[in-house]
Amino acid sequence: EESENVKGINPLDIVTRKVRPAAFQEPCASPQQVPVVQRDRPTLAPRLAPDRPRRPPAKKAPPLLDVLPPLLPATAALSGVDASLKIAASALNRQAYGFANAVFKSVVFQLAGSGVLPTVPQVRCRLEAAVSYSCICRILDNIEDTQNSISKVGSRATCELQRDLCSQWDCLLRLEKAPCDTVQFSVRATANLFFFAEAAGGWVAARR
């Protein structure tokens, strides 16, 4: 049965390979590749986490210089006093109690020679702060010595030393100070009383 492709072709030409019908042609050595059309995948919306109430950022307790009344043009002579207070507060944070105590004491003399009346709030607050922090530095120096004494003797530490430590922290916490230092010294007092003065009622004082 003849195919439509070989109609009208001389059979002799087919035998001598002069003509080949389309059905008998060899495939191309390098066929053209049909480009593949890539479809864009739909972008999925990110899965949203359930809304949770966000906690407001914790406010830091203000340091010493932030709680003092700001200086006025009439009290501009006290700018050097604030510089000394900043140096003393930095030394106190580094636990250089002797140096901090000396600088706080110098602030008292600077205020006395500033020519501004001590009844002015800017002078009075700085004078009270300098005196209070000078006492704090002195007590912290004594606390450090007491802790070293208790650490050296270990379990043979007397209750007298431990009670002395408790009373020193009690005095320090009663003194006026900036909120930042109040938090810091409260944490340190709690840790010290738990660790050093358990046998002398330190745990009771720490909880209080």
Side-chain angles (χ1 to χ4, degrees):
E1 186 178 4
E2 291 185 355
S3 173
E4 293 180 358
N5 295 332
V6 296
K7 287 183 179 180
I9 300 176
N10 189 355
L12 183 60
D13 293 337
I14 297 176
V15 175
T16 57
R17 297 185 178 181
K18 292 181 178 180
V19 166
R20 288 194 175 208
F24 297 100
Q25 289 182 359
E26 295 179 357
C28 180
S30 58
Q32 296 181 355
Q33 296 182 356
V34 180
V36 179
V37 179
Q38 296 182 355
R39 297 180 180 179
D40 295 335
R41 296 182 178 180
T43 304
L44 300 178
R47 184 176 295 178
L48 300 177
D51 294 337
R52 295 180 180 179
R54 294 184 178 180
R55 295 181 179 178
K59 295 182 179 180
K60 293 184 178 180
L64 174 61
L65 291 178
D66 290 354
V67 298
L68 295 176
L71 296 179
L72 301 176
T75 58
L78 302 179
S79 58
V81 171
D82 282 0
S84 298
L85 286 174
K86 185 176 182 180
I87 294 173
S90 177
L92 177 61
N93 292 332
R94 297 195 311 269
Q95 299 183 4
Y97 304 129
F99 177 72
N101 185 20
V103 178
F104 280 122
K105 285 182 178 180
S106 70
V107 170
V108 177
F109 295 103
Q110 293 180 43
L111 291 170
S114 64
V116 185
L117 295 177
T119 55
V120 177
Q122 285 78 7
V123 176
R124 186 180 69 253
C125 291
R126 284 162 173 78
L127 182 60
E128 292 175 353
V131 173
S132 178
Y133 272 84
S134 177
C135 295
I136 288 174
C137 292
R138 192 165 61 251
I139 294 174
L140 285 172
D141 204 6
N142 294 335
I143 287 175
E144 197 172 50
D145 293 339
T146 306
Q147 290 175 357
N148 292 335
S149 300
I150 296 175
S151 298
K152 287 180 181 179
V153 297
S155 59
R156 294 181 287 106
T158 61
C159 289
E160 184 179 355
L161 274 176
Q162 296 176 346
R163 281 194 295 268
D164 188 23
L165 183 65
C166 293
S167 62
Q168 288 173 359
W169 275 116
D170 190 42
C171 292
L172 186 144
L173 294 178
R174 292 176 184 273
L175 291 173
E176 294 290 336
K177 47 196 167 294
C180 177
D181 295 322
T182 300
V183 174
Q184 178 185 357
F185 292 145
S186 298
V187 174
R188 288 180 57 185
T190 304
N192 277 259
L193 293 174
F194 268 117
F195 186 76
F196 288 103
E198 176 186 356
W203 283 32
V204 178
R207 290 191 183 96
R208 180 168 54 82

